[in-house]
């Protein structure tokens, strides 16, 4: 609101102000806006006489009012409003004219018509007359001969249906690439199906032949994957590995593929596309199968390391197909790798890792941990023996 208040007199062009600054807030041809009796009045200013008096272009027609709040509207603002109104009205009229021209072309024209849009863009399409002419020359069902009158069925002289047994064979067909899933029926021997898989790389294709059971080319394996509705599907895992067992799981999914992949020195287990973790096995330990044997005798150092091991309780996060685990007691590999790096394998997860496929995650080497614990026990046993000897010597001297 502008400063001060106004006094307006019915049928008078003179306006007086109280606490106003007309000379700084208004100029000739500006407007004042005031609300009297709930009705807004926009009044053009003819002259600004002084800080508290001005003259309107025409007489004020509303009721006499004193102490009315007001605000000034510069002439340029009103001009902008007027110009915007004119532009919008012109755009609306232009759109109506375009619509009229467009419909006249579509209804009465022939061939194609160019349709104009108010924003200046246009597109070309067929008129109704051209559509009618084009459809009139199209064949009706009588040109299909006997096929138009044949029933849908699965026998000779019928139109094939989706479940027609005549469509179940691809014998005699050649060429082409199947880009979707291949579903195998549940009621047959799974590993009796033979097929050819084609893996394309650039302009070259590598053809691989085998069955779901024995497929093996040294770089990848075929895994039998069964989806939630019981359809068996062949899935290629490019990282390599073998199928271990296709079985049932009560929660995810009703059927699952168990996949063992060999990465470096440690086999890893996948269920479908999710990395479950590393697999620990009991390796042969015969001396004749080993070389560069070196016995460790620094038992005190091992005891000092073990003394720094921190036991923790924790839960494994829900991840992929695995739900959150019960509370467990054990070690945090990230802590242990700082103290006893021989007891930890892996590279450690980096920022932005995939929780469903945490390649490179730390895992514990139980044999190495057992070795460290054995050396720590030996160090403690050595200290006990030394203390027992000392006590015996003290007792004999007394």
């Amino acid at each position: 609101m502008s400063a001060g208040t106004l006094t307006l007199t019915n049928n008078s062009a003179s306006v007086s102000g109280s606490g106003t600054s007309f000379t700084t807030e208004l100029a000739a041809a500006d407007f004042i806006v005031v609300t009297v009796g709930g009705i807004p009045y926009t009044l053009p200013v003819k002259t600004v006489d002084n800080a508290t008096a001005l003259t309107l272009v025409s007489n004020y027609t509303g009721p006499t009012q004193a102490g009315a709040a007001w605000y000034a509207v510069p002439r340029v603002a009103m001009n902008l409003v007027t110009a915007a109104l004119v532009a919008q009205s012109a755009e609306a009229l232009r759109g109506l004219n375009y619509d009229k021209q467009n419909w006249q072309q579509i209804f009465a024209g022939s061939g194609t018509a160019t349709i104009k849009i108010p924003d200046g863009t246009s597109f070309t399409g067929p008129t109704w007359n051209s559509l009618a002419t084009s459809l009139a020359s199209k064949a009706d069902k009588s040109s299909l001969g006997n096929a138009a009158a044949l029933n849908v069925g699965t026998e000779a002289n019928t139109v094939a249906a989706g479940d027609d047994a005549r469509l179940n064979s691809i014998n005699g067909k050649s060429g082409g690439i199947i880009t979707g899933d291949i579903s195998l029926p549940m009621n047959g021997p799974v590993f009796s199906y033979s097929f050819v898989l084609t893996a394309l790389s650039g302009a070259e294709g590598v053809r691989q032949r085998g069955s779901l059971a024995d497929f093996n080319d040294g770089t990848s394996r075929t895994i039998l994957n069964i989806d939630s509705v019981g359809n068996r599907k062949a899935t290629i895992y490019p990282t390599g590995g073998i199928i271990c067992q296709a079985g049932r799981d009560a929660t995810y999914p009703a059927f699952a593929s168990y996949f063992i992949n060999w990465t470096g020195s440690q086999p890893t287990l996948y269920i479908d596309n999710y990395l479950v973790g590393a697999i620990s096995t009991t390796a042969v330990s015969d001396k004749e199968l080993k070389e560069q044997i070196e016995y460790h005798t620094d038992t005190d150092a091992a005891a000092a390391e073990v003394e720094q091991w921190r036991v923790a309780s924790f839960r494994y996060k829900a991840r992929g197909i695995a739900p959150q685990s019960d509370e467990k007691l054990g070690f945090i590999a990230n802590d242990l790798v700082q103290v006893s790096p021989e007891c930890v394998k892996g590279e450690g997860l980096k920022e932005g890792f995939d929780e469903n496929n945490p390649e490179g995650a730390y895992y514990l080497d139980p044999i190495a941990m057992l070795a460290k614990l054995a050396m720590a026990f030996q160090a403690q046993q050595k200290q006990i023996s030394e203390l027992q000897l000392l006590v015996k010597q003290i007792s004999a001297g007394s």
Side-chain angles (χ1 to χ4, degrees), residues 44-302:
V45 176
K46 181 178 181 180
T47 60
V48 176
D49 304 324
N50 54 53
T52 59
L54 59 82
T55 302
L56 300 175
V57 171
S58 59
N59 290 343
Y60 166 66
T61 58
T64 299
Q65 177 71 45
W70 69 289
Y71 61 88
V73 178
R75 175 180 54 186
V76 65
M78 291 297 291
N79 290 342
L80 290 174
V81 171
T82 302
L85 180 60
V86 170
Q88 291 175 5
S89 299
E91 183 178 358
L93 290 173
R94 189 181 305 113
L96 291 174
N97 287 331
Y98 278 151
D99 284 346
K100 180 180 178 181
Q101 295 173 10
N102 292 338
W103 282 114
Q104 286 177 343
Q105 291 186 76
I106 292 175
F107 287 137
S110 60
T112 60
T114 299
I115 305 302
K116 295 181 180 179
I117 300 176
D119 64 2
T121 60
S122 63
F123 67 92
T124 301
T127 64
W128 282 19
N129 182 49
S130 67
L131 289 174
T133 302
S134 176
L135 292 175
S137 63
K138 300 300 180 184
D140 58 25
K141 69 176 184 178
S142 62
S143 64
L144 298 176
N146 293 337
L150 294 179
N151 294 326
V152 176
T154 59
E155 300 176 354
N157 298 320
T158 60
V159 178
D163 58 351
D164 194 328
R166 293 170 292 177
L167 302 178
N168 289 345
S169 172
I170 59 173
N171 290 339
K173 307 301 186 296
S174 63
I177 296 176
I178 298 176
T179 58
D181 293 337
I182 301 175
S183 297
L184 306 180
M186 294 292 291
N187 58 353
V190 175
F191 298 121
S192 66
Y193 300 103
S194 294
F195 53 89
V196 173
L197 299 178
T198 302
L200 299 179
S201 176
E204 299 179 357
V206 179
R207 297 178 63 81
Q208 304 163 336
R209 177 180 291 277
S211 70
L212 292 177
D214 62 15
F215 182 75
N216 181 350
D217 67 352
T219 59
S220 62
R221 308 293 187 271
T222 300
I223 294 178
L224 182 63
N225 186 20
I226 305 176
D227 64 17
S228 59
V229 295
N231 294 320
R232 288 181 168 88
K233 299 183 294 184
T235 305
I236 300 299
Y237 284 70
T239 55
I242 60 171
I243 184 171
C244 177
Q245 179 183 359
R248 287 177 174 267
D249 182 271
T251 56
Y252 180 89
F255 298 88
S257 295
Y258 297 82
F259 175 71
I260 298 175
N261 188 33
W262 186 268
T263 56
S265 61
Q266 187 75 16
T268 52
L269 174 64
Y270 285 81
I271 298 182
D272 289 333
N273 294 331
Y274 299 99
L275 174 60
V276 177
I279 301 175
S280 296
T281 57
T282 301
V284 291
S285 186
D286 196 287
K287 180 179 180 180
E288 301 302 321
L289 299 175
K290 301 177 181 180
E291 62 182 8
Q292 298 180 356
I293 298 173
E294 180 182 352
Y295 291 99
H296 290 238
T297 58
D298 191 357
T299 58
D300 290 336

Side-chain angles (χ1 to χ4, degrees), residues 7-10 36 60 62-66:
T7 296
L8 301 168
T9 304
N10 176 256
V36 178
Y60 166 66
T64 299
Q65 177 71 45

Side-chain angles (χ1 to χ4, degrees), residues 307-361:
E307 189 175 5
Q308 298 180 64
W309 290 5
R310 296 191 299 171
V311 178
S313 60
F314 54 87
R315 295 177 185 269
Y316 283 105
K317 297 178 181 178
R319 179 174 61 82
I321 64 171
Q324 183 188 48
S325 73
D326 296 330
E327 184 173 290
K328 295 182 178 298
L329 188 66
F331 299 93
I332 306 300
N334 304 65
D335 297 337
L336 203 62
V337 73
Q338 304 298 325
V339 180
S340 304
E342 305 96 329
C343 297
V344 180
K345 302 298 182 183
E347 302 170 353
L349 295 175
K350 305 299 187 293
E351 183 177 354
F353 71 94
D354 181 3
E355 286 191 352
N356 291 332
N357 191 10
E359 289 285 356

